[in-house]
Amino acid sequence: MPQQHPSRRAVLGMAVGGLLAGCGGTARTAGPAAAPGDVDRLDYGADASQVVDVRRPEGRQVLGTVVLLHGGYWLPQYGLDQLDPLAERLTSLGWVTANVEYRRTGAGGGVPATLEDVAAALDLVTTERLPGPVVTLGHSAGGHLAVWAASRTALTPGGSPRGELAGAVSLSGVLDLDLASGRSGSSGPVRAFTGGTPRSASGAYAAADPAALVPASCPVWAVQAEDDQVVPREQATSYVAAAREAGGTAEVVLVPGDHFSVIDPEAPSTAAVERLLRRAAR
């Protein structure tokens, strides 16, 4: 039976609660719900949140693998099921999808644990030999993680990647943690995730901030919803400017909709996202 997913209005309500929790809450969550029957759940660690849900297309030419990273300001109220509809859509188009869960702030995550999880999950995808090319795709805080994953080095949490990425697509991602740490709305979750301000937790920002790790190892597309009321456009433009100055390939892509429509498979923006994935695969 298909899973039931909350409406965008309901998700927006949860987001408001999440922002408040990010300013000092200590909410905890259990691991993700059992995977649907057509999903292969892989463990990359002992924690209940260290899993990857893999979907494989049937009867279609495989285009590659998309690694999905959900958002929610790295908070435990949000899980990988947020991206299940998008994973199902992309799988129906011929992509193998790997939907990643990870430890979140207040539930064993934060810097460096969350980053170590993402690194381990990506290394597992490589170890399992899922078909390439491999592209990361993340929403909001997951956009941060998708671009961070493309910026890994021997010195970042989790160490050097085992495989190469063809591209990274951020959907209204938090790509400049230094900037976000001083903005109303994002400062609480960012400081909880990193353990402080850029001054008091400078090492965490150096390890976790995509804007400080430019250039990425592959092209980055910073997709930004034109009517986003959660993550401002400056997050995309600031990152892209820094990446280009460092010699990287990065582009801001504006799409219609709001912060949550960019992960809605039925939204007009989905066609643009699908084009970017095919572009990365080429």
Side-chain angles (χ1 to χ4, degrees):
M1 179 180 295
Q3 288 185 314
Q4 296 298 313
H5 302 284
S7 66
R8 288 190 304 175
R9 184 180 298 276
V11 173
L12 180 57
M14 290 190 291
V16 173
L19 288 173
L20 295 176
C23 295
T26 56
R28 290 185 176 273
T29 185
D38 60 344
V39 174
D40 183 13
R41 175 159 289 177
L42 307 178
D43 298 318
Y44 64 86
D47 191 272
S49 292
Q50 293 174 318
V51 298
V52 180
D53 282 356
V54 177
R55 291 173 169 85
R56 295 176 173 85
E58 296 183 2
R60 295 185 63 96
Q61 179 181 357
V62 176
L63 301 174
T65 297
V66 180
V67 178
L68 296 163
L69 294 148
H70 72 83
Y73 268 133
W74 313 278
L75 294 168
Q77 295 95 317
Y78 308 90
L80 56 72
D81 60 321
Q82 192 180 63
L83 293 186
D84 278 348
L86 187 56
E88 292 163 2
R89 163 77 178 183
L90 294 177
T91 302
S92 74
L93 296 176
W95 295 95
V96 172
T97 59
N99 194 6
V100 177
E101 190 57 278
Y102 50 86
R103 289 173 293 172
R104 286 138 286 166
T105 308
V111 178
T114 298
L115 305 178
E116 291 170 345
D117 282 1
V118 171
L122 277 165
D123 289 344
L124 175 65
V125 167
T126 302
T127 302
E128 288 293 312
R129 302 188 183 280
L130 298 183
V134 179
V135 184
T136 56
L137 173 67
H139 172 242
S140 197
H144 157 264
L145 296 173
V147 177
W148 176 87
S151 311
R152 292 171 60 192
T153 71
L155 301 179
T156 53
S160 299
R162 295 185 184 178
E164 296 182 352
L165 294 177
V169 180
S170 163
L171 305 179
S172 288
V174 185
L175 303 182
D176 189 328
L177 296 185
D178 191 310
L179 191 62
S181 71
R183 295 292 190 266
S184 175
S186 60
S187 61
V190 169
R191 293 180 187 185
F193 175 66
T194 58
T197 66
R199 180 185 293 270
S200 66
S202 58
Y205 284 81
D209 192 347
L213 294 169
V214 291
S217 63
C218 61
V220 173
W221 289 277
V223 178
Q224 187 69 28
E226 293 176 330
D227 297 321
D228 197 316
Q229 299 298 312
V230 179
V231 174
R233 190 177 300 183
E234 66 178 353
Q235 282 292 311
T237 57
S238 176
Y239 173 82
V240 168
R244 289 179 173 176
E245 185 176 352
T249 301
E251 180 182 347
V252 176
V253 180
L254 296 178
V255 296
D258 58 31
H259 187 69
F260 298 102
S261 67
V262 291
I263 59 172
D264 181 352
E266 303 302 322
S269 59
T270 301
V273 174
E274 292 167 359
R275 285 195 296 270
L276 293 176
L277 292 174
R278 290 194 296 270
R279 183 175 169 187
R282 289 196 295 268

